[in-house]
Amino acid sequence: MNTNLEQYKIFRTVARSQSFSKAARELFVSQPAVSQAVANLEESLHAALFVRGARGVTLTPEGRLLYDYVEPALSLLETGEEKLSEMAKLLKGEVKIAAADTISRRYLLPYLRKFHEKHPGIHLHVVNRTSVQSIELLRAGAVDFAFANLPLETDGLLVEPCMEVHDIFAGSARFAHLARRPVSLEQLAAQPLIMLEQTSNSRKLVERHFLEHGVVLQPEIELCSYDLMLDFAGIGLGIACVIREFAGDALSQGGLSEILLADPLPARSIGLCRVANVPMSFAAEEFYRVIREEGLRPA
């Protein structure tokens, strides 16, 4: 085909206005340019598309057939251009995020709210998964970003620490005698412990630290909810392994007290992960900018 999109646009405009001169004014081009474009299209298609008359032009049967295909095709292209423009202006779009429940609530929530208030037309799709599952969704292309407890297997991914956190053990007044001085890992392991379920990466990191010192943890209570752990610990059911930065209210209000360890758990990070060498959508790029500028808080 020797035709081009511009010729079809001119053909459609002439067909709508039934006039070369009116089409020229609408398209902001000269009338000879319109006439030439139509003539070139007719020559390329080997068909007369218009019947020229003193009062304007009308479509021939061949022209009507072509118009019935050109009109929806061009309208579809224009709709696509409009949608793309809306996305570029951040009026439409979607950002897909995977994160653990605790990270979503304790870290992400204020940034999600701020982003939504600024760009209400962009849909935020958030799925709650463990850190390992979040990374799997990211590798599969199901999400744009994964927020995970580090360290974690992240080969082939771009990882940026968002916030340094500290795993600690905290208990109610029932365990006040343990909060007076640092306790050994063996002493702590002998207490009734409340921990996240075994699939949690943060639990695996804590268990690894104890194993490196020859201590095996066998918690009495295993939960999938961080807030439930705080509630259970608050009524004295055991000592909970929590994140100091996320347990501030429970600690400051006196309900729970941190139990110091003779061999403290090492600090770790919550990380923002994305796939390397994959272009981001306009919406995802804007969310990434917000997190980078306001949400990265490494120590």
Side-chain angles (χ1 to χ4, degrees):
M1 295 179 64
N2 296 322
T3 55
N4 58 49
L5 187 61
E6 194 61 33
Q7 288 177 345
Y8 283 121
K9 288 182 177 179
I10 292 173
F11 163 75
R12 181 181 66 169
T13 305
V14 173
R16 285 175 171 177
S17 63
Q18 298 183 324
S19 167
F20 284 102
S21 59
K22 290 180 181 178
R25 289 194 296 271
E26 184 177 336
L27 296 169
F28 300 101
V29 296
S30 66
Q31 182 173 332
V34 171
S35 299
Q36 186 61 52
V38 171
N40 291 341
L41 183 59
E42 291 178 320
E43 181 180 356
S44 175
L45 298 177
H46 307 291
L49 302 176
F50 293 103
V51 177
R52 279 78 167 170
R55 297 185 176 181
V57 297
T58 57
L59 287 167
T60 64
E62 294 80 6
R64 170 55 61 182
L65 175 67
L66 181 64
Y67 181 82
D68 288 343
Y69 285 94
V70 168
E71 170 60 31
L74 291 180
S75 295
L76 191 61
L77 284 173
E78 289 167 354
T79 299
E81 290 177 346
E82 290 173 4
K83 296 297 183 183
L84 186 60
S85 177
E86 289 177 346
M87 292 177 68
K89 295 175 182 176
L90 301 176
L91 301 176
K92 299 288 184 182
E94 181 182 41
V95 181
K96 293 172 287 185
I97 303 163
D101 179 73
T102 304
I103 295 176
S104 296
R105 182 176 182 183
R106 306 283 177 165
Y107 171 76
L108 267 180
L109 197 59
Y111 305 109
L112 294 174
R113 179 178 62 186
K114 184 170 184 177
F115 185 86
H116 177 67
E117 289 174 350
K118 186 176 181 180
H119 306 293
I122 295 178
H123 177 61
L124 288 168
H125 182 66
V126 182
V127 292
N128 288 142
R129 297 290 188 274
T130 65
S131 292
V132 172
Q133 292 169 337
S134 295
I135 293 298
E136 290 174 352
L137 288 175
L138 181 64
R139 293 189 188 279
V143 296
D144 300 304
F145 305 104
F147 289 84
N149 288 299
L150 303 178
L152 194 62
E153 179 58 51
T154 55
D155 289 348
L157 302 178
L158 295 177
V159 181
E160 295 179 74
C162 296
M163 178 182 183
E164 186 175 87
V165 294
H166 301 80
D167 297 297
I168 63 168
F169 287 86
S172 67
R174 173 188 171 189
F175 303 97
H177 62 287
L178 296 175
R180 295 168 187 160
R181 62 181 63 84
V183 300
S184 68
L185 300 185
E186 291 84 353
Q187 285 178 287
L188 185 74
Q191 304 301 316
L193 298 180
I194 303 170
M195 300 187 71
L196 288 173
E197 56 190 355
Q198 288 183 319
T199 56
S200 166
N201 190 51
S202 59
R203 171 170 168 176
K204 292 177 182 177
L205 296 173
V206 171
E207 288 184 326
R208 184 185 306 167
H209 176 75
F210 275 75
L211 284 174
E212 289 172 351
H213 291 78
V215 180
V216 177
L217 290 179
Q218 294 180 319
E220 290 192 3
I221 300 176
E222 296 177 302
L223 301 169
C224 62
S225 168
Y226 182 83
D227 291 305
L228 271 180
M229 287 205 307
L230 291 173
D231 292 339
F232 278 38
I235 61 174
L237 294 183
I239 297 172
C241 182
V242 297
I243 297 172
R244 181 187 293 141
E245 288 74 13
F246 296 158
D249 291 342
L251 294 171
S252 64
Q253 294 173 6
L256 296 177
S257 298
E258 180 177 352
I259 297 173
L260 300 178
L261 299 177
D263 295 294
L265 291 158
R268 59 181 180 83
S269 295
I270 293 170
L272 165 62
C273 308
R274 60 189 180 92
V275 180
N277 302 318
V278 173
M280 291 184 283
S281 67
F282 293 115
E285 190 170 343
E286 173 65 7
F287 181 80
Y288 180 62
R289 183 194 65 78
V290 170
I291 291 295
R292 278 187 57 84
E293 291 183 359
E294 303 180 31
L296 299 185
R297 306 197 302 271

